[in-house]
Amino acid sequence: MRVRKQGVRGAHPKDIVKFAERNTPPGSRDAYVQVARAASVTVDFLVRLNELLMADAATSRRPVHRHASSLDTALTWVMLLPDVAFPDAALSIEIKPKHGLLPSAPGLHPVKQTACRFCMHQLLKQAQGKVVRASAYCPLDLFSNDKARIARALKSLSSTPQNNLRVFSSCTEAGDSLEHSAEHSMAADQLDLVVELLHSHVDLLDDLKAMHAKDTLDIEGVFALSQLHAAIVGFISCSESEQQVEDGMMPVSQTLGQVLPMLSTDLSRQLDMYMPHALLTNTDVNVELWTELTIGQFQTVYSHVLDSFLVATTFKDCSVLLSLRPV
């Protein structure tokens, strides 16, 4: 069960489930089924659960960094998901693989063309004192389909797991149930097993990488298009009567070339770089120059780019859960 923490902003659990249902990986050998569901709970249930968590903090059963975290008892919706660690899994592993591709957008800084986002962030976190040492893990290794590189990625995760690896393993058997321990590293035999598993199911990683690839412009390109969108909103407000704007009427037939004089030289330069790339991913629009797009056509292109970016961003931060049961 996932319950939102106090002070955390985000989508409603029902909207999260709907988003996941609309955006599943393309699938190959592996089938993807939406197993999460939103459930309504009472305020009393949340209050009592929060009291239990706070008691756990007092007895140090919760991680230290979560001692001050309390639940949002006003949001009476939670998400329910299968428990992949219990009751009969001998080994359950959670991996947060992060972004498995180098960006391919035009105009990238040379560093972003050779170093992945995760590795750059690790160096930044180390410089800021947020971690003692940077993780040796690189997502590009895990997504490489190369067994040796997958092994290197998992060994690096095991040596510097941070919050990207968690291992639940069976410790002792008590009656019909298994007691589990939560760790942040894998034993050598466990690591070898997971390497074999991931290498034999590379389709899973490929499908995840395909979702990452939906981000075709990187954040800089999406930001440039968002600035153009904001300029268009301003253009509409200036060129249409207040009543028309309130009624949602837009001069959708006017072209972006008519908006261009309103833009800064720097933004125009960025759009010259990013807009042709954005049009390559939208086959519904057929123009030679991006300035020939009508405002209505641009809204369609921008909506597609933004939706794809949000989907990719979501999948860049998802977890892969592996549950291995004895046979």
Side-chain angles (χ1 to χ4, degrees):
M1 180 175 65
R2 292 188 63 87
V3 185
R4 182 170 298 168
K5 297 183 182 69
Q6 185 69 39
V8 175
R9 299 177 61 185
H12 193 281
K14 290 192 290 186
D15 294 330
I16 294 174
V17 171
K18 289 178 182 177
F19 177 88
E21 289 173 343
R22 290 195 308 269
N23 300 285
T24 57
S28 45
R29 287 186 305 174
D30 298 287
Y32 300 96
V33 180
Q34 176 49 242
V35 293
R37 65 184 181 91
S40 177
V41 295
T42 65
V43 172
D44 181 61
F45 170 80
L46 293 173
V47 169
R48 293 173 63 188
L49 181 60
N50 192 54
E51 290 173 350
L52 288 173
L53 289 174
M54 292 299 102
D56 275 354
T59 57
S60 299
R61 287 192 292 175
R62 292 184 79 196
V64 174
H65 67 280
R66 291 185 177 174
H67 282 189
S69 298
S70 59
L71 302 180
D72 183 351
T73 56
L75 179 62
T76 57
W77 282 85
V78 300
M79 282 203 305
L80 299 179
L81 300 101
D83 188 344
V84 299
F86 304 101
D88 59 346
L91 179 65
S92 296
I93 299 170
E94 177 185 9
I95 299 173
K96 292 184 178 179
K98 296 299 183 179
H99 192 188
L101 291 167
L102 289 176
S104 59
L108 289 170
H109 190 283
V111 173
K112 297 186 75 171
Q113 298 177 33
T114 56
C116 79
R117 182 179 179 85
F118 179 83
C119 293
M120 288 191 290
H121 273 203
Q122 283 295 306
L123 294 176
L124 177 63
K125 289 168 70 174
Q126 186 179 32
Q128 293 174 336
K130 294 181 179 179
V131 294
V132 176
R133 61 173 175 147
S135 173
Y137 166 68
C138 178
L140 301 184
D141 285 337
L142 186 67
F143 286 94
S144 67
N145 292 356
D146 179 86
K147 188 174 181 179
R149 292 184 64 185
I150 292 174
R152 181 170 66 189
L154 291 174
K155 288 177 182 177
S156 298
L157 274 177
S158 192
S159 63
T160 50
Q162 296 185 15
N163 70 334
N164 297 100
L165 175 69
R166 200 164 189 204
V167 180
F168 299 87
S169 58
S170 302
C171 296
T172 59
E173 188 170 349
D176 294 329
S177 63
L178 291 173
E179 295 182 3
H180 287 66
S181 66
E183 305 291 344
H184 290 279
S185 61
M186 288 182 283
D189 58 337
Q190 294 175 337
L191 194 146
D192 291 341
L193 178 62
V194 176
V195 169
E196 289 291 341
L197 180 64
L198 288 178
H199 186 250
S200 62
H201 288 78
V202 292
D203 290 15
L204 183 149
L205 296 175
D206 285 344
D207 292 340
L208 189 55
K209 190 161 58 174
M211 302 305 282
H212 296 171
K214 286 181 174 289
D215 176 10
T216 58
L217 290 184
D218 207 42
I219 183 61
E220 289 90 346
V222 175
F223 181 65
L225 266 64
S226 72
Q227 288 182 296
L228 175 57
H229 179 263
I232 288 173
V233 172
F235 173 70
I236 293 170
S237 299
C238 292
S239 61
E240 297 293 306
S241 69
E242 183 176 348
Q243 184 61 45
Q244 285 178 312
V245 173
E246 289 178 355
D247 290 343
M249 297 177 63
M250 297 172 56
V252 293
S253 61
Q254 298 187 53
T255 67
L256 296 187
Q258 294 172 275
V259 183
L260 201 56
M262 300 173 50
L263 308 179
S264 68
T265 302
D266 183 58
L267 179 56
S268 297
R269 179 189 60 79
Q270 292 182 54
L271 292 171
D272 276 333
M273 181 167 52
Y274 293 120
M275 279 300 299
H277 199 69
L279 293 177
L280 290 176
T281 62
N282 197 308
T283 57
D284 295 332
V285 177
N286 184 21
V287 294
E288 290 188 10
L289 300 173
W290 68 267
T291 52
E292 297 174 355
L293 284 173
T294 65
I295 288 177
Q297 288 174 322
F298 169 73
Q299 299 287 36
T300 300
V301 171
Y302 176 63
S303 177
H304 173 76
V305 168
L306 185 60
D307 285 349
S308 297
F309 174 77
L310 293 175
V311 170
T313 301
T314 301
F315 276 87
K316 290 173 191 176
D317 203 37
C318 74
S319 292
V320 173
L321 301 174
L322 306 175
S323 182
L324 308 181
R325 292 173 170 82
V327 294

